[in-house]
Amino acid sequence: MKRLIVCVLCAVTFSVAAREVVRVGGYSFPPYVSRIADNRVEGISGQLLVALNQVQNQYTFRFVPTSSKRRYRDFEQGRFDLMLFESPQWGWQGKPVRASRIFLTGGEVYVARRAPARDQRFFDSLDDKRIVAILGYHYGFANFVADEEVLHSRFDILLSTSHMGSLRAVLL
């Protein structure tokens, strides 16, 4: 799309191609999206968007906040065009999306209150544990199911909306 720009101060008229806006959805998911404030995103996603906007001039990448639970509805409603650092296993099956090859991998981090003689083997079985998890996230221990009813029927689980809330619940 071409846009006509008129420079009023210098009486010069010229045309420039408008940069196509690519709306990038994201939600709190450290370290990829570690903070969302004042229309800015911090974390790896924010750094990547800045770099993408600096190295090319065909697109403008803009961050659009969503939540882990709301992201599917927001995508279907056209609120964003792209989401970074997602897995096709996280509820995108059957939706009109294409995934790129994997560039980064990560894993789940389990935390527990410190106790005598407690080590990593504490997490070998979660069947007898009270679990705190983030609402809308998909966990390997639950076969990547994020449905609240399913999680509540299979686990003794408390679903939190924030990482700090989850950590506070573990400490209670």
Side-chain angles (χ1 to χ4, degrees):
M1 168 194 324
K2 292 260 185 194
R3 207 173 8 174
L4 182 67
I5 297 178
V6 177
C7 179
V8 178
L9 296 176
C10 55
V12 175
T13 302
F14 55 94
S15 291
V16 294
R19 291 169 53 138
E20 185 176 345
V21 174
V22 177
R23 296 161 303 163
V24 181
Y27 54 90
S28 180
F29 185 46
Y32 308 104
V33 175
S34 55
R35 185 167 178 255
I36 304 167
D38 303 322
N39 292 329
R40 289 178 17 107
V41 58
E42 295 176 8
I44 297 171
S45 292
Q47 294 167 359
L48 182 58
L49 295 181
V50 167
L52 287 170
N53 286 327
Q54 288 176 346
V55 300
Q56 53 77 46
N57 60 11
Q58 186 175 358
Y59 302 99
T60 298
F61 292 89
R62 287 205 184 115
F63 186 78
V64 176
T66 186
S67 73
S68 56
K69 186 175 177 182
R70 198 180 61 233
R71 67 188 185 258
Y72 310 106
R73 184 186 66 210
D74 286 352
F75 172 73
E76 288 169 356
Q77 291 177 349
R79 284 200 64 230
F80 61 86
D81 310 298
L82 172 71
M83 185 164 272
L84 303 169
F85 306 111
E86 283 283 299
S87 170
Q89 291 179 300
W90 297 347
W92 294 104
Q93 304 90 332
K95 299 200 182 338
V97 299
R98 289 189 320 212
S100 72
R101 71 179 178 87
I102 296 172
F103 294 99
L104 288 174
T105 59
E108 296 172 353
V109 175
Y110 299 122
V111 296
R113 195 174 328 152
R114 183 182 294 197
R118 184 178 285 170
D119 60 19
Q120 275 309 117
R121 291 176 293 195
F122 178 76
F123 300 109
D124 287 349
S125 172
L126 300 178
D127 295 336
D128 60 340
K129 312 284 187 303
R130 174 85 167 138
I131 300 169
V132 181
I134 303 289
L135 183 67
Y137 276 31
H138 296 76
Y139 295 97
F141 71 81
N143 294 321
F144 301 104
V145 171
D147 182 276
E148 297 164 60
E149 290 180 25
V150 172
L151 291 171
H152 284 293
S153 71
R154 291 180 49 203
F155 302 97
D156 183 9
I157 194 165
L158 169 68
L159 296 171
S160 173
T161 57
S162 75
H163 294 278
M164 286 307 294
S166 295
L167 291 173
R168 284 186 187 109
V170 168
L171 296 173
L172 293 177

